[in-house]
């Protein structure tokens, strides 16, 4: 079962995640000699401590790549385990080879184990990235037992395992990449990391549905989960923390894929804006936040008469069901219908937005596209839309406004109930609900 649920017997379809043909047989954990439960036999007494007894934390290790450190909340915590997930070909191996080289150059001992590429291929990549002088130790190996023995002897500060799906633990009786193998591999490596104080980075491929193939299970074994995302056709890549035991989740690092590997983008707030000289209809700038950092993003919509029975709803970089919700709110609260129209929504530059604060900007883009009226070009929009059509206040409005001002915007639409202690000098239009917002922006609209 891809979702990690277990079933007593085989079935065609998993009733937890609804996925077909993904249930595989797995040996159960061996029962005790008499088949009794754990509680029945006597265990060892575990030492208990107090909350006040704090071990002095080891300093975090800086990778020397600021955007990588930032996504981690300030560098790698020694003895922690980090999972880096992402689509095949997005640049995980490139990023981690660069990080390993950077660690090695700063005097840390770094080992890079690849189960996917031969050493010669990795060297070729290193050459292309200009990393050949970095004292990283390489291995091409998939046997977990051998890898752990090697790490045990070498005791590096950081080890990179690329990828967890290619590793093979010989005590588990199934193919590499299967849930039991991946789980066993992750478990062994997590235990090793804690016992020996070695930081470990696991690379994991993500399936089409956006899961780290099979093992959701791995996500809760590790300390930190980072996703490396981006659209294939775009050069920008975002390293996003989705779980972090040692720092804020949802912090991002931004990179650009170039001929010489990944370059970090230190100030990405204007990165996802296209040329703003002429403002087309259907394009609206959303003043977003990614973790602690404001990022302005252009949201583009296109609305066209549909010839299909059920019109298209095509979304890149945003949540599909969230779009349906906005369309429904526009239809039933404002009487603006999209029933017989194809709707395309796109976040510029290959960015992915998950903030609900983008709702209002999406609604604006949709109506702007439908009516072919463009929004004032120096305006940013943010606000969460509720099902009633009312706008909810959102966090960090001041930071959003400040950044917009810095990038040359002068006006903003924002939810009205926010107490704004705003010194940004922006002209802020406070709006109650999505209906009055649309009238303010575009005038009266025919259904
Ligand atoms: P890779 O790191 O192999 O991806 P992953 O490990 O996530 O599967 O990245 C491969 C892609 O990156 C490949 O399509 C080529 C591109 N690339 C560059 O554009 N520039 C470079 O310097 C390198 C090394 C790769
Ligand atoms: Mg790779």
């Amino acid at each position: 079962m891809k979702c990690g649920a277990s079933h007593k017997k085989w079935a065609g379809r998993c009733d937890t995640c609804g996925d077909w043909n993904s249930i595989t047989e797995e040996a159960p954990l061996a029962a005790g000699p008499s088949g009794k439960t754990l509680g029945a036999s006597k265990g060892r007494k575990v030492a208990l401590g107090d909350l006040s007894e704090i071990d002095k934390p080891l300093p975090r290790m800086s990778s020397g790549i600021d955007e990588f450190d930032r996504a981690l909340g300030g560098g790698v915590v020694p003895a922690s385990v980090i999972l880096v997930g992402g689509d095949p070909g997005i640049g995980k191996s490139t990023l981690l080879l660069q990080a390993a080289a950077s660690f090695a150059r700063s005097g840390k001992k770094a080992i890079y184990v690849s189960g996917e590429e031969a050493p010669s291929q990795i060297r070729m990549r290193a050459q292309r990235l200009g990393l050949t002088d970095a004292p990283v130790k390489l291995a091409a190996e998939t046997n977990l037992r051998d890898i752990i023995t090697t790490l045990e002897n070498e005791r590096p500060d950081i080890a990179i395992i690329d990828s967890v799906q290619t590793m093979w633990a010989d005590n588990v009786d199934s193919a590499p990449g299967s849930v039991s193998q991946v789980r066993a591999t992750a478990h062994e490596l997590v235990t090793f990391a804690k016992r020996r104080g070695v930081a470990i980075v696991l690379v994991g491929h993500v399936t089409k549905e956006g899961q780290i193939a099979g093992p959701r299970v791995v996500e809760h074994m590790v300390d930190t989960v980072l996703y490396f995302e981006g659209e294939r056709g775009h050069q920008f890549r975002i390293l996003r923390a989705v779980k972090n035991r040692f720092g804020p989740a949802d912090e991002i690092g931004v990179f650009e894929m170039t001929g010489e590997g990944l370059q970090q983008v230190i100030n990405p707030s204007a990165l996802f804006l296209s040329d703003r000289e002429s403002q087309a209809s259907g394009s609206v700038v959303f003043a977003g936040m990614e973790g602690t950092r404001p990022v302005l993003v252009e949201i583009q919509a296109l609305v066209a008469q549909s010839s299909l029975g059920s019109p298209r709803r095509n979304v890149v970089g945003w949540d599909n069901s969230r779009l349906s919700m906005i369309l429904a709110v526009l239809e039933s609260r404002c009487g603006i219908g999209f029933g017989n129209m194809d709707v395309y929504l796109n976040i510029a530059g290959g960015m992915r937005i998950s903030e609900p604060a983008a709702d209002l900007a999406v609604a604006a883009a949709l109506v702007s596209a439908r009516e072919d009226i463009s929004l004032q070009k120096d305006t940013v929009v943010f606000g969460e839309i509720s099902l009633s059509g009312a706008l909810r206040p959102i966090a960090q409005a001041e930071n959003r406004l400040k950044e917009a001002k810095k990038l040359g915007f002068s006006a903003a639409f924002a939810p009205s109930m926010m107490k704004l202690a705003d010194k940004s000098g922006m002209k802020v239009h406070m709006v109650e609900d999505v209906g009055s917002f649309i009238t303010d922006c575009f005038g009266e609209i025919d259904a």
Side-chain angles (χ1 to χ4, degrees):
M1 42 345 343
K2 266 201 227 151
C3 61
S6 45
H7 300 270
K8 284 213 171 60
K9 58 177 189 192
W10 190 87
R13 180 170 184 266
C14 170
D15 50 19
T16 310
C17 64
D19 211 38
W20 287 93
N21 279 336
S22 63
I23 295 180
T24 51
E25 188 180 2
E26 241 176 63
L29 275 180
S34 54
K36 275 191 257 167
T37 58
L38 272 184
S41 55
K42 208 159 167 67
R44 182 176 57 87
K45 188 170 169 291
V46 178
L48 301 174
D50 291 324
L51 285 175
S52 58
E53 297 170 17
I54 307 165
D55 288 337
K56 199 154 176 277
L58 287 164
R60 285 175 185 253
M61 299 185 283
S62 164
S63 67
I65 304 177
D66 292 346
E67 292 292 300
F68 185 73
D69 290 347
R70 167 188 274 273
L72 287 167
V76 176
V77 174
S80 69
V81 181
I82 300 160
L83 175 68
V84 177
D87 289 325
I90 203 75
K92 301 180 292 299
S93 303
T94 308
L95 176 69
L96 291 170
L97 189 60
Q98 286 181 272
S102 185
F103 272 117
R105 279 183 181 146
S106 68
K108 298 268 189 274
K109 190 164 175 184
I111 294 187
Y112 183 97
V113 183
S114 176
E116 308 198 326
E117 289 160 308
S120 60
Q121 275 175 300
I122 306 172
R123 283 198 196 97
M124 242 160 68
R125 187 196 299 254
Q127 208 158 34
R128 191 165 153 195
L129 301 173
L131 302 174
T132 34
D133 62 310
V136 184
K137 293 273 163 261
L138 293 182
E141 185 54 63
T142 55
N143 185 319
L144 187 64
R145 193 183 291 272
D146 295 348
I147 291 171
I148 289 190
T149 307
T150 311
L151 295 181
E152 187 87 55
N153 289 330
E154 295 283 331
R155 294 291 176 84
D157 296 296
I158 186 161
I160 289 153
I161 309 291
D162 187 1
S163 65
V164 67
Q165 276 111 343
T166 51
M167 295 299 147
W168 177 70
D170 55 18
N171 57 342
V172 176
D173 195 14
S174 55
S178 66
V179 175
S180 5
Q181 277 291 354
V182 169
R183 188 191 292 161
T185 302
H187 179 74
E188 289 287 338
L189 288 168
V190 169
T191 316
F192 173 79
K194 305 290 164 197
R195 192 158 42 97
R196 292 295 182 223
V198 175
I200 293 187
V201 182
L202 300 174
V203 175
H205 293 299
V206 170
T207 58
K208 277 202 293 302
E209 302 86 48
Q211 292 191 344
I212 301 221
R216 282 263 109 141
V217 269
V218 178
E219 291 196 7
H220 50 253
M221 278 188 226
V222 301
D223 300 305
T224 304
V225 179
L226 303 176
Y227 273 97
F228 202 40
E229 48 186 45
E231 292 297 326
R232 275 296 172 79
H234 291 286
Q235 72 273 41
F236 299 118
R237 299 283 182 271
I238 291 163
L239 188 65
R240 186 186 298 276
V242 293
K243 161 183 170 178
N244 196 349
R245 285 190 186 144
F246 305 115
D250 73 35
E251 199 64 70
I252 63 165
V254 184
F255 297 88
E256 184 176 356
M257 182 60 100
T258 67
E260 287 84 50
L262 291 153
Q263 306 287 340
Q264 45 180 342
V265 179
I266 300 291
N267 189 359
S269 60
L271 205 61
F272 302 100
L273 298 177
S274 54
D275 183 10
R276 317 262 334 132
E277 278 313 307
S278 61
Q279 169 103 340
S281 66
S283 148
V284 170
V285 176
F286 164 55
M289 293 293 297
E290 291 293 341
T292 52
R293 190 153 62 175
V295 177
L296 273 71
V297 206
E298 184 175 333
I299 295 179
Q300 301 158 343
L302 178 68
V303 173
Q305 277 301 326
S306 178
S307 54
L308 299 170
S310 52
R312 266 182 235 282
R313 303 287 181 249
N314 218 325
V315 189
V316 179
W318 209 49
D319 185 26
N320 224 321
S321 52
R322 197 93 196 162
L323 172 68
S324 311
M325 187 203 103
I326 305 285
L327 290 172
V329 170
L330 285 173
E331 181 132 23
S332 47
R333 305 290 173 193
C334 319
I336 304 172
F338 290 84
N340 50 357
M341 298 172 191
D342 289 335
V343 175
Y344 302 86
L345 189 78
N346 180 28
I347 311 297
M351 179 75 181
R352 252 204 94 73
I353 303 182
S354 50
E355 265 195 300
D359 291 354
L360 195 62
V362 169
L366 291 170
V367 177
S368 162
R370 184 182 184 272
E371 297 304 305
D372 196 16
I373 306 174
S374 39
L375 202 70
Q376 288 270 306
K377 106 168 189 281
D378 56 357
T379 305
V380 297
V381 178
F382 54 88
E384 180 180 347
I385 300 177
S386 66
L387 288 180
S388 66
L391 297 183
R392 295 213 188 100
I394 54 165
Q396 312 211 55
E398 282 92 3
N399 283 337
R400 296 171 201 262
L401 291 170
K402 226 164 70 194
E403 193 65 25
K405 181 78 190 172
K406 217 166 87 191
L407 293 173
F409 292 85
S410 59
F413 283 94
S416 65
M417 56 279 255
M418 286 189 311
K419 286 197 193 65
L420 270 182
D422 177 36
K423 298 174 203 79
S424 65
M426 294 277 283
K427 179 167 168 38
V428 184
H429 303 278
M430 297 284 199
V431 275
E432 285 285 302
D433 58 85
V434 64
S436 58
F437 164 69
I438 301 240
T439 328
D440 280 4
C441 287
F442 306 104
E444 290 300 331
I445 291 189
D446 301 330

